[in-house]
Amino acid sequence: MAEAAGVAAEFFASNRARAARAVLDQVVLPGEELLLPEQEDGEGPGGAGERPLRLNAGARSRVRVVCGPGLRRCGDRLLVTKCGRLRHKEPGGGGGGVYWVDSQQKRYVPVKGDHVIGIVTAKSGDIFKVDVGGSEPASLSYLAFEGATKRNRPNVQVGDLIYGQFVVANKDMEPEMVCIDSCGRANGMGVIGQDGLLFKVTLGLIRKLLAPDCEILQEVGKLYPLEIVFGMNGRIWVKAKTIQQTLILANILEACEHMTADQRKQIFSRLAES
Amino acid sequence: MAGLELLSDQGYRVDGRRAGELRKIQARMGVFAQADGSAYIEQGNTKALAVVYGPHEIRGSRARALPDRALVNCQYSSATFSTGERKRRPHGDRKSCEMGLQLRQTFEAAILTQLHPRSQIDIYVQVLQADGGTYAACVNAATLAVLDAGIPMRDFVCACSAGFVDGTALADLSHVEEAAGGPQLALALLPASGQIALLEMDARLHEDHLEQVLEAAARAARDVHTLLDRVVRQHVKEASILLGD
């Protein structure tokens, strides 16, 4: 039975690690292993005969590569854990740059520094519990607003919308958010005003809308005057002059995900006429 | 059905397949808009639907939360119209609970649960038409749904059933072959590393034949992986085209 097990083990394993550079911008799936550029040299053909002799054999020049969302370190390779397209960003200073997987997702996982829209669900003592769409409600202290002191409490009720950023967000602790930046100024964060409409979209669409040169936003801006807030947790709050315009804008943004650029331009031109 | 030969002299099975041949597989991801991830798969005449929610807050008692891992909660349900005779209880009976437990074991091996402590991942699978190989179809559908939800996984999980008739191992059994009473094996495999997530058999099989049946099941699971691979790549390409890449 031992030989059978050995044969079976060989049959089951099929290792195919590819170079990360070769699969950039292509679809990668969980279970694939990627080799970083520095390892490719060592594993090329020829083996020991073609590698140049080094005086200090132990120390190789290591480039620090950052492993982003969708990738995990597994030994000295990268293991893909989500399906999507592999992306790479060149580093500004020294270092090997960042690799990550661009994947489609609806469920948000809190990340430090992200600006999100949350809904206040409870007030307990000195903190508010805010639902941000993750696996735990985030906590928001009442002192984390601009100009808030122990005597001067902010006017926040259960059910209000809050725009803030995460200061603590890791898998082991409850996420904490604040509505001031590091200088103590609000910078647009805080309680979001009355009226308007909050709706959910996928995370990929939010990232696309927040890209620097997004055409959708420019076209929407030309259509009606509006106020809009984007939360990285997939929530968008929009407000226009009338309820009908607000609903039209919400429907357009939700549908943007499933439309090509031409269909979108058609809809915008039809709305601009009417 | 007495006298029905499962494997003819020329090597053809009841539905005309060869011994190691799979049934036709069609799958789609992202079938539900409101769930975090969803998928639908058809393996021959077996149809299964999987829906994934999570990782979200633990529902029910807080005491069930695990401090270092996510809780994977699987529920298996087979529709009342899924079998030849109408089923009385869609879920909650013994077989469904056991299937749910097996699915949970399978996916705890593949999902990276340490990344989401104190949260819960729900996987709901429903069988709409059962024509043999329901466990395998459920696992394949649930893998696609978990990938659609963006939950980090170590690898795909691909499953297939196998049987043994007249000295030959058959892969991907249909209901007729399962009902004939021979040994059946269900195997769930992580294809890239070759590791087994779940291996289940509750019949008698001589140990000399085990390796042959296991090999047939593993080969079939890898074929399933090739097909699912293609489905996922197609889905990702379509999604990223619409987002304007």
Side-chain angles (χ1 to χ4, degrees):
Chain A
M1 211 48 195
E3 310 89 52
V7 164
E10 275 174 30
F11 176 82
F12 284 152
S14 71
N15 225 346
R16 13 160 225 142
R18 298 190 279 173
R21 262 201 311 240
V23 261
L24 272 188
D25 287 342
Q26 287 179 36
V27 178
V28 289
L29 298 177
E32 291 185 12
E33 293 190 342
L34 302 174
L35 295 168
L36 294 170
E38 53 169 20
Q39 276 122 24
E40 286 172 60
D41 309 323
E43 299 192 15
E50 289 191 13
R51 247 181 290 161
L53 274 180
R54 292 172 188 271
L55 288 176
N56 46 349
R60 298 179 62 189
S61 56
R62 300 186 72 85
V63 192
R64 194 153 160 259
V65 167
V66 178
C67 185
L71 296 169
R72 305 272 302 163
R73 280 207 181 269
C74 153
D76 53 356
R77 299 179 176 185
L78 294 180
L79 176 72
V80 179
T81 56
K82 289 194 196 181
C83 63
R85 289 192 187 259
L86 185 70
R87 305 279 189 210
H88 175 62
K89 182 173 147 189
E90 288 299 328
V98 191
Y99 283 97
W100 77 93
V101 178
D102 233 347
S103 68
Q104 275 292 77
Q105 215 176 331
K106 290 185 197 162
R107 175 72 57 169
Y108 177 66
V109 174
V111 168
K112 182 173 167 180
D114 263 1
H115 292 258
V116 294
I117 300 180
I119 305 175
V120 179
T121 53
K123 267 204 273 198
S124 64
D126 290 340
I127 55 170
F128 304 112
K129 287 282 178 207
V130 180
D131 163 44
V132 290
S135 62
E136 263 183 310
S139 71
L140 170 65
S141 162
Y142 77 95
L143 289 172
F145 290 85
E146 184 175 4
T149 59
K150 287 198 179 145
R151 303 261 174 93
N152 180 18
R153 290 177 178 244
N155 183 17
V156 176
Q157 308 303 325
V158 171
D160 279 352
L161 293 177
I162 301 267
Y163 182 62
Q165 65 176 349
F166 285 114
V167 289
V168 170
N170 53 47
K171 62 185 170 99
D172 301 308
M173 295 166 60
E174 177 191 51
E176 292 175 25
M177 58 188 287
V178 292
C179 289
I180 49 175
D181 60 8
S182 47
C183 307
R185 284 191 296 256
N187 211 11
M189 296 188 270
V191 181
I192 296 180
Q194 295 294 318
D195 305 330
L197 180 66
L198 178 80
F199 57 96
K200 262 186 81 69
V201 292
T202 61
L203 307 187
L205 182 64
I206 295 272
R207 286 197 297 262
K208 183 183 172 209
L209 291 170
L210 285 176
D213 50 353
C214 180
E215 317 168 319
I216 306 179
L217 268 192
Q218 292 164 4
E219 291 170 15
V220 165
K222 283 184 216 150
L223 203 53
Y224 305 122
L226 80 161
E227 284 178 56
I228 194 163
V229 179
F230 293 104
M232 295 294 290
N233 52 347
R235 294 179 182 172
I236 303 181
W237 178 86
V238 76
K239 179 175 166 185
K241 279 219 196 91
T242 66
I243 297 182
Q244 196 188 23
Q245 290 180 358
T246 308
L247 287 173
I248 291 175
L249 289 167
N251 283 330
I252 291 179
L253 287 170
E254 273 176 335
C256 266
E257 195 159 2
H258 307 289
M259 290 197 289
T260 60
D262 298 324
Q263 289 167 332
R264 206 176 57 227
K265 289 193 173 62
Q266 274 179 4
I267 295 199
F268 275 116
S269 52
R270 264 197 308 173
L271 281 171
E273 284 163 24
S274 62
Chain B
M1 284 180 252
L4 183 73
E5 53 171 10
L6 294 178
L7 194 64
S8 76
D9 298 325
Q10 289 89 24
Y12 290 109
R13 290 153 79 173
V14 177
D15 48 6
R17 286 185 284 154
R18 287 273 174 200
E21 202 180 319
L22 291 177
R23 293 176 286 182
K24 180 174 180 191
I25 296 183
Q26 288 172 309
R28 268 197 1 237
M29 292 168 66
V31 290
F32 279 134
Q34 57 267 49
D36 290 335
S38 55
Y40 171 72
I41 196 168
E42 281 182 24
Q43 258 182 260
N45 283 329
T46 301
K47 300 183 179 159
L49 188 59
V51 169
V52 170
Y53 290 93
H56 58 74
E57 252 185 288
I58 298 255
R59 304 273 160 81
S61 62
R62 290 276 161 150
R64 292 196 314 160
L66 300 164
D68 58 340
R69 291 186 285 130
L71 191 71
V72 178
N73 174 36
C74 292
Q75 195 190 44
Y76 168 90
S77 147
S78 60
T80 49
F81 46 81
S82 62
T83 49
E85 284 189 6
R86 194 177 171 86
K87 276 194 69 166
R88 280 301 192 87
R89 275 185 86 177
H91 50 246
D93 61 330
R94 191 93 80 81
K95 179 172 168 265
S96 304
C97 286
E98 190 184 342
M99 274 286 220
L101 226 58
Q102 286 178 354
L103 285 170
R104 178 189 189 174
Q105 225 181 324
T106 312
F107 281 96
E108 272 181 356
I111 295 179
L112 290 167
T113 47
Q114 315 91 313
L115 295 179
H116 301 286
R118 291 184 324 276
S119 60
Q120 181 176 339
I121 297 173
D122 290 324
I123 303 178
Y124 299 115
V125 186
Q126 171 142 54
V127 172
L128 298 172
Q129 206 171 301
D131 185 28
T134 47
Y135 170 76
C138 292
V139 166
N140 296 332
T143 293
L144 291 179
V146 172
L147 281 176
D148 189 36
I151 296 176
M153 286 221 287
R154 198 163 277 129
D155 194 358
F156 270 79
V157 190
C158 299
C160 198
S161 56
F164 193 72
V165 163
D166 286 346
T168 326
L170 304 178
D172 199 8
L173 304 173
S174 64
H175 179 71
V176 169
E177 291 161 342
E178 278 181 5
Q184 318 161 22
L185 183 121
L187 173 76
L189 191 70
L190 275 65
S193 49
Q195 293 170 335
I196 298 180
L198 186 125
L199 178 62
E200 189 242 349
M201 178 171 72
D202 54 4
R204 287 162 124 200
L205 179 71
H206 197 285
E207 75 168 311
D208 292 343
H209 305 311
L210 178 64
E211 192 201 330
Q212 193 184 356
V213 179
L214 206 52
E215 212 175 285
R219 196 174 296 128
R222 279 179 202 285
D223 291 339
V224 170
H225 171 63
T226 317
L227 280 156
L228 295 184
D229 192 286
R230 206 183 304 159
V231 168
V232 178
R233 278 181 205 273
Q234 183 63 29
H235 177 80
V236 172
K237 277 193 192 128
E238 282 171 8
S240 53
I241 284 175
L242 283 179
L243 272 188
D245 275 332

